[in-house]
Each structure stands twice: as structure tokens, then as C-alpha cells.
Amino acid sequence: MEKVNFAGVEGELIETSPHGSYVVVRLSDRITIVGTTNNQFNWEEMPDAASGFESFITYIGVKSTTEATKYLAVVAKVGGYTIKKEGEARKAKRIKDFPFEIKVRGLSPEFVAEVIRCKQK
């Protein structure tokens, strides 16, 4: 598999969109991002120099809706958010190791990398 460096974390490229508009990168067992270099989807811009992404969305794997609520509270404290229709845990599509996932916008690349590093220690 191809590797992608995101904010100093080496991730595994697991999918590329048919037109190359976005890529899906697994950064850890719990965190996957979908990044774009052209931001044609008008996501909030949070550029990451290491990967070249202009913007990205973070998916966090969770085991339950209770766990999802706890993660959403933490990400809200650092500026992360969900849009209304994505505000609850859903059946996992991007993160296969968990039964549910939450889709979070507005996190900085540095915050995502720090969470991954803390979990790896």
C-alpha cells in the first residue's frame, strides 16, 4: 500500500476517488481522514503541508453512541464540529475495525496527529 504523510504521521492510502478528487487515508485503527488537494467540495480549509491537502474530514471509530458523545464533546472543545445530518454515530463505512464512526470537520492537522501519537504511547 502507498503511504501518505499527514502532519508527521505516516498513514496508509486505502482509497482514491474515481476522478482523483479525494483520497482516504488510514492514520490509526480509530482515525481515518478523507483529504482533497483542490477542495472542490468547499470543506473548511485546514491545509496540511506534509500531505498537500487543502482540506480534510476526520472519521473517528467508536464502539457505541455513548463513546461517540464523549468524543464529540472533546472535539468541540478544540473547534471540531459536525453538521446537523452527521451529528450522531453512524454505522462504520470508513473505519472497518469499529461498529460505528463519527464524521468530524474543523479539526487541525496538528490536533489529529497529537491524538494519534497519544494513543500510540
Side-chain angles (χ1 to χ4, degrees):
M1 283 277 170
E2 188 177 334
K3 301 293 181 182
V4 173
N5 186 311
F6 179 81
V9 175
E10 187 174 273
E12 180 181 347
L13 179 68
I14 56 175
E15 181 184 342
T16 301
S17 70
H19 299 292
S21 303
Y22 65 85
V23 295
V24 180
V25 180
R26 180 182 175 173
L27 297 175
S28 72
D29 65 333
R30 188 180 292 266
I31 298 179
T32 294
I33 60 166
V34 176
T36 179
T37 57
N38 59 19
N39 198 15
Q40 76 180 53
F41 307 107
N42 295 316
W43 296 338
E44 179 176 349
E45 293 201 8
M46 288 291 204
D48 172 57
S51 64
F53 295 148
E54 286 297 317
S55 59
F56 67 97
I57 293 178
T58 307
Y59 291 83
I60 303 172
V62 294
K63 296 177 183 173
S64 67
T65 55
T66 301
E67 187 176 49
T69 301
K70 291 176 183 177
Y71 272 91
L72 288 169
V74 170
V75 298
K77 289 180 181 177
V78 296
Y81 64 94
T82 60
I83 60 176
K84 188 173 183 174
K85 67 179 183 175
E86 301 167 351
E88 297 178 3
R90 67 179 191 190
K91 184 177 178 192
K93 295 191 310 191
R94 302 272 185 210
I95 303 184
K96 305 299 183 198
D97 294 339
F98 286 82
F100 304 100
E101 66 189 19
I102 53 176
K103 184 176 181 180
V104 179
R105 300 165 187 266
L107 295 178
S108 72
E110 296 77 18
F111 178 78
V112 173
E114 186 60 30
V115 168
I116 293 166
R117 287 186 194 106
C118 287
K119 294 290 182 187
Q120 292 175 344
K121 290 180 180 179

